[in-house]
Amino acid sequence: MSIGRLLEITVADLALIDRLRLELAPGLNVFTGETGAGKSLLIDALGLATGARADTALVRHGADVARVTALFDRLPEPLIAVREVAAEGRSTARLDDEAVTAARLADVAGALVEIHGQHDQQRLLDERWQRDLLDDFGGHAELREAMAAAVDCWRANRAALAELELDPRELARRLELHEHEAEEIAAAKLRPGEADEIKGRLEAAQHGEAIARGSAVLHESLAADEGGARDAVAIALREARAMARLDQRFEPVAERIGGLEAELGDLAATARELAETVDHDPAEIARLEERLSTIYSLERRYGDDEAAVIAHGERAQSEAERLRSLDADRAVRAAEEERLLLAVGAAGEALSVARAAAARGLSAEVGAVLEELGFPAGVFEVVLGRRPAGRDEPAVEVDGDALAFDPSGIDQVVYRLAPNPGEPPRPLAKIASGGEMSRVALAIKQVLAAADATPTLVFDEIDTGIGGRSADPIGRSLWTLARRHQVLCVTHLPQIAAHADAHFQIVKRERGGRTITEVTELDREGRIVELGQMLGGSGGASGGSGGSASGGSASGREGATGASPGGAGAAALASARELLDRAEAWRGDVLASS
């Protein structure tokens, strides 16, 4: 049995359930009881614990919160999943005492439980779902991934090709625009920071005469041979050096005066250079003003500064080059389109060949199980078809035919059933009754059990539309499925219940003026009584059940006997005992031969 099976479920204040704790067996767990006793509530409770949508209507009248705790087998210690639904609408979830979202709860706990009801049987009528089941059976995951990847590559290339499709006039307009922009910016030969430099020079030129006079005075003051600062410092330096020869304490003074002399020389040279850079020529000033106007004009159209304008020019040049090579790129993409379609066709054909082989195997194996479930031989078949591509639809060529495709492949998959001898097989959606669909769904699940990693499978209303003659094979099939998975099954048929590894009886009782649901695990004698009442047409025991724990719980194997023998006639009890003996003998034979 797979690690991850459901060990225990505890429910409090959920609809008719006051308090309930169930320990579940690793094999086939069957739940029976009268109509309206609350069998489906257990499925709802398990759904909540595995992340299903919370419904405040499930909170028991008068209670503030409904709580469900599910304990799953896991190493090194069990996984605990908790869901609480408050009457005012708030829902909380926990995993191992850590608060999580309902989505996270579904990802973790939901992966351990798969609930099958009438919705899942309806889903089996969807041909896309039929295709996916076939691929699960055939183990086509890698082929499906290869097909999807090939289609993705083709779609990406097709999108790029569509972007290359431009009207010739629009192409010419764009090319002319980008070429003009690139040429205009390149011709300007801009330098980052050039505008600020020119603005500084023009501001200086406005005061050129005053700057020239001042610079001359400054230079004369610093560097004049007589009366200038440098001349005075030179005299001081000579005196300081002379005194240093007489007294060493004046050596630092002489060194510092020597530094002043050098600094004054640099200052005089700098003042002269700055004066020489001041523009006095009106023609040069006009040239600078025109250059600044050109830069501002480019910045207004192409960017906030010289660097942005230069970057725009580079982009325009790149786009012009791209547009000039558009025809060549289009030819390359068109050739790539053909190559990628060939790859799509090859991937689709490989997947189709594998599906054809898997279809034969699935047809045979499901057909064999259906024979055990009371159908004639050859009742089930999996048929592959291919849809021709429409006139304007992309297509791949396979076996000389132009076929439509998508990421799932080139095949249409249809499950067909021929339950009536002499009548041709027809798609499930057009022929199957409720009972037939239940058996087909179970047969497929049994065949796919080896590939299904879900530890716990839950079947609600698997016996819809099934009569007594077909029920015993259904019970055998569920028991067989329960050798690989833990199975929980709600049923109203004694022939199915007889094959249970653990049999739980669900009844409604009145306690303190309130209706409650109780669940009891039955021992062998209790099962005979319950099966007898089911055979007698009462729909399961409705009273007198003994051995249940306080508050309607069922814990462990307490030897509960269910209703007293008086609840079912002697003939019904004899038939129930025979039914149970026959089921146990069959299981013994199967185990002995395996």
Side-chain angles (χ1 to χ4, degrees):
M1 183 63 60
S2 301
I3 297 297
R5 72 175 179 89
L6 182 61
L7 298 174
E8 178 181 296
I9 185 168
T10 304
V11 186
D13 293 322
L14 186 75
L16 296 180
I17 299 176
D18 179 19
R19 295 288 185 275
L20 174 68
R21 184 169 73 86
L22 288 180
E23 293 181 5
L24 297 158
L28 175 58
N29 297 264
V30 167
F31 298 87
T32 62
E34 62 183 351
T35 300
K39 298 187 292 297
S40 293
L41 279 179
L42 290 176
I43 309 300
D44 293 336
L46 186 55
L48 284 176
T50 53
R53 180 178 177 274
D55 185 355
T56 57
L58 291 174
V59 180
R60 182 169 173 79
H61 178 66
D64 294 328
V65 177
R67 179 185 175 95
V68 181
T69 302
L71 186 68
F72 295 94
D73 186 17
R74 187 186 63 173
L75 297 176
E77 58 185 19
L79 170 70
I80 303 173
V82 179
R83 187 75 175 280
E84 291 185 346
V85 182
E88 72 271 14
R90 185 174 54 88
S91 168
T92 59
R94 305 187 73 83
L95 283 171
D96 289 335
D97 206 31
E98 177 186 353
V100 297
T101 63
R104 174 64 177 161
L105 184 68
D107 287 341
V108 177
L112 303 177
V113 178
E114 186 175 332
I115 299 176
H116 296 267
Q118 287 185 333
H119 169 72
D120 300 276
Q121 295 180 21
Q122 292 301 314
R123 187 166 58 169
L124 187 56
L125 302 178
D126 185 341
E127 293 180 2
R128 293 170 300 179
W129 181 243
Q130 294 175 7
R131 178 198 58 212
D132 292 344
L133 290 177
L134 175 64
D135 288 337
D136 287 343
F137 174 78
H140 301 153
E142 290 186 5
L143 291 172
R144 283 283 292 263
E145 290 173 3
M147 179 66 188
V151 172
D152 285 344
C153 289
W154 168 78
R155 285 177 173 172
N157 183 74
R158 193 173 181 84
L161 184 59
E163 291 182 358
L164 298 175
E165 295 293 339
L166 278 179
D167 180 81
R169 289 173 296 183
E170 175 65 12
L171 173 59
R173 187 192 68 80
R174 291 190 187 182
L175 181 58
E176 181 180 0
L177 173 64
H178 290 299
E179 285 179 337
H180 169 74
E181 292 179 350
E183 291 170 0
E184 183 181 26
I185 294 171
K189 297 180 181 179
L190 298 179
R191 289 185 294 105
E194 184 180 2
D196 290 338
E197 179 184 326
I198 292 174
K199 284 191 294 184
R201 292 178 64 183
L202 287 173
E203 288 175 1
Q206 293 176 358
H207 308 285
E209 185 176 346
I211 292 173
R213 286 197 305 269
S215 296
V217 172
L218 178 60
H219 183 271
E220 183 69 18
S221 300
L222 293 173
D225 291 338
E226 294 183 6
R230 193 170 67 169
D231 181 57
V233 170
I235 294 171
L237 180 60
R238 285 195 302 270
E239 292 299 322
R241 286 174 176 170
M243 286 186 288
R245 285 192 294 270
L246 300 175
D247 187 341
Q248 291 182 349
R249 291 178 299 171
F250 282 89
E251 287 182 356
V253 174
E255 290 177 359
R256 292 174 65 183
I257 294 173
L260 283 174
E261 184 184 36
E263 180 67 16
L264 286 171
D266 288 343
L267 285 172
T270 300
R272 184 178 63 250
E273 291 172 359
L274 289 173
E276 291 173 352
T277 61
V278 176
D279 295 307
H280 299 288
D281 184 0
E284 178 63 15
I285 293 175
R287 188 192 68 79
L288 291 175
E289 289 176 342
E290 183 180 357
R291 177 63 174 171
L292 188 61
S293 176
T294 299
I295 295 174
Y296 283 163
S297 176
L298 293 173
E299 288 180 350
R300 281 194 301 271
R301 286 177 288 161
Y302 303 127
D304 294 333
D305 54 28
E306 294 96 322
V309 174
I310 292 170
H312 183 90
E314 292 172 351
R315 290 194 298 271
Q317 181 63 30
S318 297
E319 181 63 12
E321 292 174 359
R322 188 189 74 84
L323 292 172
R324 282 192 290 268
S325 64
L326 205 61
D327 288 339
D329 291 344
R330 193 159 39 229
V332 170
R333 289 291 183 181
E336 187 73 354
E337 166 98 351
E338 295 181 9
R339 186 190 69 80
L340 291 173
L341 278 178
L342 288 175
V344 170
E349 187 171 12
L351 178 56
S352 186
V353 169
R355 280 173 173 164
R360 292 190 292 271
L362 185 60
S363 297
E365 293 191 31
V366 173
V369 176
L370 287 175
E371 283 189 56
E372 297 175 358
L373 297 178
F375 284 94
V379 68
F380 179 80
E381 64 179 358
V382 179
V383 179
L384 300 186
R386 295 171 176 175
R387 183 174 66 82
R391 177 177 299 177
D392 298 325
E393 188 176 8
V396 293
E397 185 175 339
V398 178
D399 297 332
D401 296 323
L403 303 175
F405 65 90
D406 62 28
S408 69
I410 60 175
D411 302 300
Q412 294 177 311
V413 178
V414 180
Y415 292 0
R416 301 202 302 189
L417 197 68
N420 303 310
E423 295 294 326
R426 298 178 62 190
L428 288 181
K430 296 183 177 180
I431 193 170
S433 66
E436 289 167 341
M437 279 302 305
S438 297
R439 286 182 283 173
V440 171
L442 180 58
I444 291 173
K445 177 54 65 176
Q446 182 174 328
V447 169
L448 293 177
D452 190 345
T454 309
T456 299
L457 305 177
V458 181
F459 292 93
D460 186 19
E461 301 180 351
I462 189 65
D463 51 14
T464 299
I466 294 175
R469 182 176 299 177
S470 302
D472 186 63
I474 291 285
R476 294 182 180 185
S477 183
L478 287 168
W479 183 86
T480 302
L481 182 61
R483 298 315 97 195
R484 290 184 177 272
H485 303 265
Q486 181 187 42
V487 176
L488 280 59
C489 178
V490 173
T491 183
H492 65 279
L493 294 177
Q495 293 86 349
I496 293 177
H499 289 279
D501 294 300
H503 187 164
F504 297 90
Q505 179 193 54
I506 302 176
V507 296
K508 279 194 304 187
R509 298 190 187 284
E510 185 177 328
R511 178 183 298 166
R514 296 288 302 277
T515 300
I516 63 169
T517 289
E518 290 185 347
V519 183
T520 305
E521 183 178 2
L522 303 175
D523 62 10
R524 194 175 193 281
E525 289 303 314
R527 293 184 67 189
I528 291 172
V529 173
E530 174 73 357
L531 293 175
Q533 291 183 335
M534 295 171 74
L535 285 167
S538 63
S542 58
S545 178
S548 65
S550 173
S553 69
S555 175
R557 280 143 181 79
E558 300 165 340
T561 61
S564 64
L573 290 174
S575 296
R577 190 179 303 276
E578 180 184 356
L579 183 64
L580 191 57
D581 289 343
R582 189 165 60 247
E584 291 174 346
W586 176 83
R587 294 199 299 271
D589 291 342
V590 172
L591 292 174
S593 62
S594 60

